[in-house]
Each structure stands twice: as structure tokens, then as C-alpha cells.
């Protein structure tokens, strides 16, 4: 007889042998005992958790010579034929290969015939979600009112792809992932009966790699026996599975918590020389950090973290000396690096730089602490701005004027915001603030004065030329002045400008006109002279 793999050899034959699905097997046994069996079932859940196996056991229970019975004998012809897959009354259909409407039409014709040797005809359709919409629609009527001797059992890993009309005609049973301890216990039972020597840690490695699938765990055990023989070492399992030992993860986590980037890079180099897959290693590291976080937060982390007792104790010891916020930041940083490695052409470089980033990430201060610090600084600044008597220091500033502002800007006292303290006249306050915003406009309005002021209007007279008036009346300039006026006056006003007529002075005959003093010259002329280091030459001087 040819070799039979563990997954087939140790396949459950009765409800009691099904691991991790007691909520389903008990319900089915009670339904059989009370004669309340539905005509259609939908078994959904991950791969390798017992959906098809449970369907076969249910078929044996219905067609057993002693049945229908919740405990099929397993020795009568219907039981043996069902277990071997040769029973003509138990029809197993692959939904992926028989997904068209023509296959469902054939099924509708065959359901009319009575069972040959048993009491029921059981149709088991695996991966039923692969059927087309037309096939599902063709099945609806038969599924809702099948002949009394027909039982439908659908199995799927993707129940969300099945139409709601099918769901409503079936009793749905959700199969769950099998716990690590239950898988390890079943594997220990198999190894004892097969005479295989393997440590508990090795069985836990296999169970973790199976990710809740009993069939996958048995296949991995089969593979390990082929590699190592009847005595399986932990090192062999790590080589087969590509798994990382918990001790390696602990050492690496210690380096991350100590911010030892140099040591981590050396460890990465060593792992690469050993042929370790970097993405798989980093995924294990992310899981290890997650386990540390869970241990820090949960009161009883044992049921949440699927690890042996010895490894769980090691994680608890390491987590006791770590900061939760630091662990959370490490988890975020390593998770981003893992995602970047997925698309990176140079995974080693991405991992190394990601580890350096993880070591350099600083712990964030609580928001409340930052706000308290800001309030403290504001209080200190406020205390410094007060005089000895608790009143603001009186600061005098020269009247607005472009020529004087250019010379005194560096030495003028300023407040914390960089704006010189303003005297009492509102218009002078506006001009002082305008210097900080737009110096050219401030120089144009320097020799101006307020002619009239009302609740919503401010009339300003400008001494100068039409050029200065046009500059002040530009929309951008007007909006800026009105905005500053609103800040000073506390209300919205409209600023209007008028050009003041220049006073004409008579000069006695025989005397030459007096040169204007530097402070009496046009502001723009002063600006030009200061830029080019020039001087005014009168026509008589040029001669």
C-alpha cells in the first residue's frame, strides 16, 4: 500500500475527534438526536479547520446502519464507503470545477432519485463560492424545497461571496481557527503514536507556522519527518519553517530598546549569512513587539498571546523593563519598514535604515505637559515686560518719517512681537505698524495727518505729489491700512485720502532760494540718495 500522509491518516472519523469546533459538533449531534436536522448547511471558515471532514462525519452519521446516530460506528459498509469517498449516496462536488449552470441542472435531475444503500443522499459542494450567479439562481428552488431524502452541505472559505438568497436557505456554521495549544496537543498525540521524537518547543513552532490550520500543521510535521527522520531537532524546524527563535527575537528587542543601532546592524548581517529571510524576520519582530505591548497592558496576556509558558514568561520579564509608549512607537516604525520592504528592490538597505530610524525615534511628551510648559513661558515673558512698579515701561518713539526710520530702526526698542511701542495718537500707531508691514507705503504716508474722523470714516490728508496719493489709493494699500486701523481703533473704518496743497513761500529779490534741509526733502529723494550715496546738485552748483 502506498504511503498515506498524516493529514489523511489522522483525519477525524467521529464528531469527538474534530479539534477546536465543539460548538459545531455538539449542535449537529443534538440535531440528529432530536430529529431536528436541517435540509441545507453552510460551513464557512479558514482552510484546514475541519469543514469537509465534519461534512463527511455528518454524512456517515445519517447513513450509518445504526442511524441516523450522533455516533456513527465506522465499521458498516455505508460508514466505510463514506470515509473512503466511494459511497454513491454521498456526492462530493468541487465548486471550482463544476461552477456552471449546466452542472447545477444535472444536479437538479439527480436529486430526484432515491438513495441506493443509505437513508439520505448527501451533496457536499466544496468551495461553493466559486459557482456562478446563474448556477446559484438555478439552485435556489431545489435548495429551498429539496426531496425529503436529500441533504445539502456547502463548504467555503469566503462566505461573503455567496448570495444572500443562498444564505437564507441554509443553516450557517462558522468554523474558527484552532488554538495553538489544541494543535500542539493533537500533534503530540500523533507523534507519540508514530514514535516520533520532538520537543514541545518544536511542536509549538509547527503549530504557530500553521496559523490555526490543523491540516497545515500535520503537513508540516510530515515534512519535518522527511527532513530529520524520526527525531526532529528545533534547529531543523527553524531551517524548514524559516522561523526565528524566541531568544533571537528577545536579543534583537533588547537592542531596539537600548537604541543600539550598531549592534542591530551586526545582528542583521549575521542573520543574512545564515540565510534568514529579512521580511519574515521583521514580521516576527513586529509580532514580538506586539506581544510586549499586550503584556504591558493586559492583566492576563496568556490567552491573547499564543506562546508556550516558558516563552510567555520571558516576554513578561522583558516587558516589565520597557516603556509602553516606546514600544508603541517601535511597533509603528517597524510596521512602516515592513511595508516599505514589500516594494523595495534592496530589502537589506531598507531594513537597516528602518532600524536606525527606530533607534533614533524620541518619545513624545504628553500634550498636557507641553501646554503647562507653554503657559509657564508665557507667564515669564509677561513678568519681564512689566516695569519695577508693575506698569508697562513708557517708551518714546520719534514721529513717523521715512528718513528718521531708516536711521533709527536698529536702535529702536521693540516688544516681544518685534513692533515698537506706539505713542498715544491712533494715526501714529497705524503708521508705526505700517512700517513693519510695508515700508514704502509708510514713507508715502509719513508726512500725512488726519483731517476728519467719524464712527466709520477716517479722512487723511497727504502732503506730497499725486504719485503718493495714487500709491495710497491702490486697493492693496487701502486694504492694508484699513485692516491696521481696525486693529488700533477696534472698529471697521473706511480710509479716504486728500492731497494737501503746498504752501508757497515768497523769496526776496536778489536772494537765491534756500536749499531744503535734508529732513525737508522728498522722502523718495532721500531714499534714492541713501541707496546710491549721492547728493543734490543745484543748477548753479553745476556751473
Amino acid at each position: 500500500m502506498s504511503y498515506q500522509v498524516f493529514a489523511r491518516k489522522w483525519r477525524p472519523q467521529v464528531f469527538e475527534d474534530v479539534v477546536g469546533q465543539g460548538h459545531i459538533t455538539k449542535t449537529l449531534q443534538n440535531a440528529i438526536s432530536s430529529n431536528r436536522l436541517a435540509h441545507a448547511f453552510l460551513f464557512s471558515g479558514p482552510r484546514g479547520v475541519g469543514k469537509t471532514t465534519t461534512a463527511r462525519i455528518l454524512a456517515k452519521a445519517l447513513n450509518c446502519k445504526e442511524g441516523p446516530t450522533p455516533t456513527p460506528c465506522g465499521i458498516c459498509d455505508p460508514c466505510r464507503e463514506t470515509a473512503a469517498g466511494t459511497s454513491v449516496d454521498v456526492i462530493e462536488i468541487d465548486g471550482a470545477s463544476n461552477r456552471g449552470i449546466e452542472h447545477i441542472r444535472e444536479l437538479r435531475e439527480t436529486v430526484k432519485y432515491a438513495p441506493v444503500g443509505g437513508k439520505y443522499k448527501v451533496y457536499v459542494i466544496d468551495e461553493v463560492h466559486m459557482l456562478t450567479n446563474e448556477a446559484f439562481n438555478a439552485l435556489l428552488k431545489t435548495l429551498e424545497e429539496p426531496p425529503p431524502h436529500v441533504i445539502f452541505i456547502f463548504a467555503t472559505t469566503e462566505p461573503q461571496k455567496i448570495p444572500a438568497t443562498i444564505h437564507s436557505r441554509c443553516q450557517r456554521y462558522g468554523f474558527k481557527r484552532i488554538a495553538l495549544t489544541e494543535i500542539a496537543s493533537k500533534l503530540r498525540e500523533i507523534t507519540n503514536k508514530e514514535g516520533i521524537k520532538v520537543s514541545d518547543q518544536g511542536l509549538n513552532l509547527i503549530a504557530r507556522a500553521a496559523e490555526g490550520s490543523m491540516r497545515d500543521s500535520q503537513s508540516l510535521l510530515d515534512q519535518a519527518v522527511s527532513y530529520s527522520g524520526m527525531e526532529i531537532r528545533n534547529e531543523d524546524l527553524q531551517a524548514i519553517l524559516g522561523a526565528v527563535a524566541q531568544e533571537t527575537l528577545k536579543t534583537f528587542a533588547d537592542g531596539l530598546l537600548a537604541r543600539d543601532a550598531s549592534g542591530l546592524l551586526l545582528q542583521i548581517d549575521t542573520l543574512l549569512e545564515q540565510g534568514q529571510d529579512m521580511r519574515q524576520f521583521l514580521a516576527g519582530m513586529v509580532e514580538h513587539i506586539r506581544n510586549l505591548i499586550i503584556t504591558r497592558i493586559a492583566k492576563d496576556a496568556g490567552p491573547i498571546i499564543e506562546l508556550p509558558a516558558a516563552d510567555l514568561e520571558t516576554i513578561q520579564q522583558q516587558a516589565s523593563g520597557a516603556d509602553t509608549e516606546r514600544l508603541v512607537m517601535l511597533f509603528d516604525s517597524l510596521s512602516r519598514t515592513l511595508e516599505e520592504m514589500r516594494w523595495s528592490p534592496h530589502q537589506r538597505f531598507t531594513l537597516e535604515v528602518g532600524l536606525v530610524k527606530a533607534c533614533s525615534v524620541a518619545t513624545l511628551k504628553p500634550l498636557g505637559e507641553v501646554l503647562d510648559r507653554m503657559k509657564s513661558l508665557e507667564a515669564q515673558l509677561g513678568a519681564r515686560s512689566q516695569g519695577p512698579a508693575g506698569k508697562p515701561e513708557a517708551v518714546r518713539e520719534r514721529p513717523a518719517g521715512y528718513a528718521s526710520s531708516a536711521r533709527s530702526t536698529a536702535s529702536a526698542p521693540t516688544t516681544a512681537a518685534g513692533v515698537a511701542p506706539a505713542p498715544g495718537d491712533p494715526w501714529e500707531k497705524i503708521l508705526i505698524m505700517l512700517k513693519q508691514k510695508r515700508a514704502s507705503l509708510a514713507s508715502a504716508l509719513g508726512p500725512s495727518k488726519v483731517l476728519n474722523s467719524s464712527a466709520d470714516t477716517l479722512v487723511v490728508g497727504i502732503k506730497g505729489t499725486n504719485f503718493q496719493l495714487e500709491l495710497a489709493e491702490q486697493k492693496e494699500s487701502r486694504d492694508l491700512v484699513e485692516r491696521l486701523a481696525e486693529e488700533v481703533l477696534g472698529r471697521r473704518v473706511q480710509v479716504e485720502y486728500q492731497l494737501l496743497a503746498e504752501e508757497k513761500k515768497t523769496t526776496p529779490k536778489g536772494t537765491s532760494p534756500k536749499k531744503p534741509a535734508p529732513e525737508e526733502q522728498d522722502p523718495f529723494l532721500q531714499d534714492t540718495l541713501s541707496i546710491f550715496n549721492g547728493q543734490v546738485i543745484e543748477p548753479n552748483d553745476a556751473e
Side-chain angles (χ1 to χ4, degrees):
M1 182 178 179
S2 61
Y3 174 73
Q4 196 173 30
V5 297
F6 289 158
R8 294 184 59 191
K9 183 177 181 180
W10 294 98
R11 191 170 196 167
Q13 300 298 322
V14 292
F15 287 117
E16 288 77 11
D17 291 342
V18 179
V19 179
Q21 313 298 342
H23 61 295
I24 295 176
T25 56
K26 184 176 180 180
T27 303
L28 294 175
Q29 286 179 302
N30 292 340
I32 295 172
S33 300
S34 60
N35 196 23
R36 298 181 60 87
L37 203 64
H39 62 271
F41 298 89
L42 176 61
F43 292 169
S44 62
R47 69 184 188 279
V49 294
K51 299 184 297 296
T52 307
T53 297
T54 304
R56 286 187 178 183
I57 297 175
L58 178 58
K60 288 200 308 183
L62 294 176
N63 288 332
C64 179
K65 292 294 184 181
E66 306 294 331
T69 173
T71 56
C73 66
I75 59 175
C76 64
D77 290 341
C79 287
R80 289 188 289 106
E81 291 172 356
T82 302
T86 59
S87 175
V88 294
D89 292 330
V90 180
I91 301 96
E92 295 190 24
I93 301 173
D94 178 17
S97 304
N98 302 274
R99 60 193 305 264
I101 188 173
E102 65 278 3
H103 299 102
I104 300 302
R105 285 173 178 166
E106 294 177 3
L107 184 149
R108 289 172 56 185
E109 293 298 324
T110 59
V111 298
K112 301 176 182 178
Y113 301 106
V116 177
K119 301 177 180 64
Y120 291 92
K121 291 189 71 172
V122 181
Y123 288 86
V124 181
I125 304 181
D126 205 2
E127 299 301 333
V128 70
H129 64 272
M130 297 295 291
L131 296 182
T132 64
N133 288 331
E134 294 78 7
F136 276 125
N137 292 333
L139 186 61
L140 286 178
K141 188 62 177 177
T142 304
L143 184 62
E144 185 172 12
E145 298 178 357
H149 58 269
V150 173
I151 300 291
F152 286 102
I153 303 176
F154 300 146
T156 179
T157 55
E158 300 184 43
Q160 72 278 2
K161 294 185 178 180
I162 298 177
T165 51
I166 299 295
H167 273 275
S168 64
R169 289 165 168 82
C170 301
Q171 280 190 4
R172 178 175 173 180
Y173 291 83
F175 286 69
K176 61 183 181 180
R177 292 174 66 251
I178 305 174
L180 182 143
T181 54
E182 293 179 317
I183 293 178
S185 177
K186 184 64 176 180
L187 292 180
R188 174 57 69 193
E189 177 187 344
I190 295 174
T191 55
N192 289 339
K193 293 181 179 179
E194 293 286 340
I196 302 170
K197 294 182 179 180
V198 59
S199 66
D200 291 338
Q201 184 179 1
L203 292 180
N204 284 312
L205 284 174
I206 296 175
R208 285 175 59 81
E211 298 181 346
S213 171
M214 180 60 72
R215 182 177 62 231
D216 288 2
S217 68
Q218 293 171 351
S219 298
L220 290 172
L221 178 61
D222 227 336
Q223 183 179 352
V225 173
S226 300
Y227 181 83
S228 303
M230 302 302 288
E231 186 173 351
I232 304 173
R233 299 181 304 169
N234 294 341
E235 295 80 5
D236 295 340
L237 285 173
Q238 291 175 11
I240 295 171
L241 304 175
V244 185
Q246 284 293 318
E247 185 61 31
T248 303
L249 295 176
K250 177 185 179 300
T251 305
F252 207 86
D254 287 336
L256 285 171
L257 294 173
R259 302 179 185 272
D260 183 14
S262 175
L264 294 177
L265 295 180
L266 291 176
Q267 292 186 55
I268 290 297
D269 186 66
T270 303
L271 291 172
L272 284 170
E273 290 181 356
Q274 296 173 356
Q276 177 67 52
D277 180 79
M278 287 295 98
R279 287 197 73 242
Q280 190 171 5
F281 167 74
L282 187 57
M285 197 67 242
V286 170
E287 182 183 3
H288 185 78
I289 297 296
R290 172 259 183 189
N291 292 341
L292 293 176
I293 296 173
I294 296 299
T295 305
R296 290 280 301 174
I297 296 175
K299 294 181 180 179
D300 184 13
I304 304 176
I305 302 175
E306 293 186 340
L307 284 176
D311 293 337
L312 184 59
E313 183 178 355
T314 302
I315 285 181
Q316 289 173 344
Q317 292 176 357
Q318 188 176 32
S320 61
D323 180 67
T324 304
E325 293 184 7
R326 171 69 177 157
L327 291 174
V328 172
M329 296 182 72
L330 283 176
F331 182 88
D332 290 340
S333 180
L334 295 180
S335 297
R336 287 195 297 269
T337 303
L338 182 61
E339 181 63 24
E340 292 171 0
M341 288 179 65
R342 181 180 179 184
W343 310 108
S344 174
H346 306 288
Q347 292 193 355
R348 175 175 182 171
F349 304 157
T350 303
L351 175 59
E352 291 173 339
V353 174
L355 292 175
V356 173
K357 290 180 181 178
C359 291
S360 60
V361 172
T363 305
L364 299 177
K365 293 181 179 274
L367 181 59
E369 182 180 339
V370 175
L371 293 177
D372 292 341
R373 177 64 177 164
M374 292 177 62
K375 291 179 181 178
S376 176
L377 292 175
E378 289 177 356
Q380 293 178 15
L381 291 174
R384 291 178 183 176
S385 64
Q386 300 294 325
K391 296 181 180 181
E393 299 179 3
V395 180
R396 295 183 178 274
E397 186 170 340
R398 298 180 62 182
Y402 188 81
S404 62
S405 65
R407 294 189 295 269
S408 61
T409 300
S411 60
T414 59
T415 63
V419 181
D425 185 5
W427 182 245
E428 290 186 0
K429 293 182 180 180
I430 296 173
L431 292 177
I432 292 172
M433 297 171 65
L434 188 59
K435 291 179 189 177
Q436 307 296 327
K437 302 287 186 180
R438 191 173 170 189
S440 60
L441 181 60
S443 65
L445 297 178
S448 61
K449 62 181 180 180
V450 177
L451 301 180
N452 187 16
S453 177
S454 63
D456 57 355
T457 305
L458 193 66
V459 181
V460 179
I462 300 177
K463 293 182 180 180
T465 64
N466 287 329
F467 175 79
Q468 293 170 258
L469 180 62
E470 292 174 358
L471 178 62
E473 288 186 339
Q474 290 179 359
K475 185 178 185 307
E476 183 180 357
S477 303
R478 183 185 296 276
D479 292 343
L480 177 58
V481 174
E482 289 181 351
R483 187 168 63 252
L484 296 177
E486 183 179 2
E487 294 180 12
V488 173
L489 301 176
R491 66 181 187 276
R492 183 69 177 174
V493 296
Q494 182 178 359
V495 180
E496 298 179 358
Y497 299 102
Q498 294 182 5
L499 189 62
L500 300 178
E502 296 184 358
E503 297 180 359
K504 295 184 179 181
K505 296 183 179 180
T506 58
T507 305
K509 293 182 179 181
T511 61
S512 59
K514 182 180 178 181
K515 292 183 180 180
E519 60 271 10
E520 297 177 357
Q521 293 177 353
D522 186 88
F524 291 97
L525 179 58
Q526 293 183 34
D527 191 14
T528 304
L529 293 177
S530 62
I531 293 174
F532 294 101
N533 196 22
Q535 61 180 351
V536 178
I537 301 177
E538 299 293 337
N540 294 333
D541 296 338
E543 295 175 357

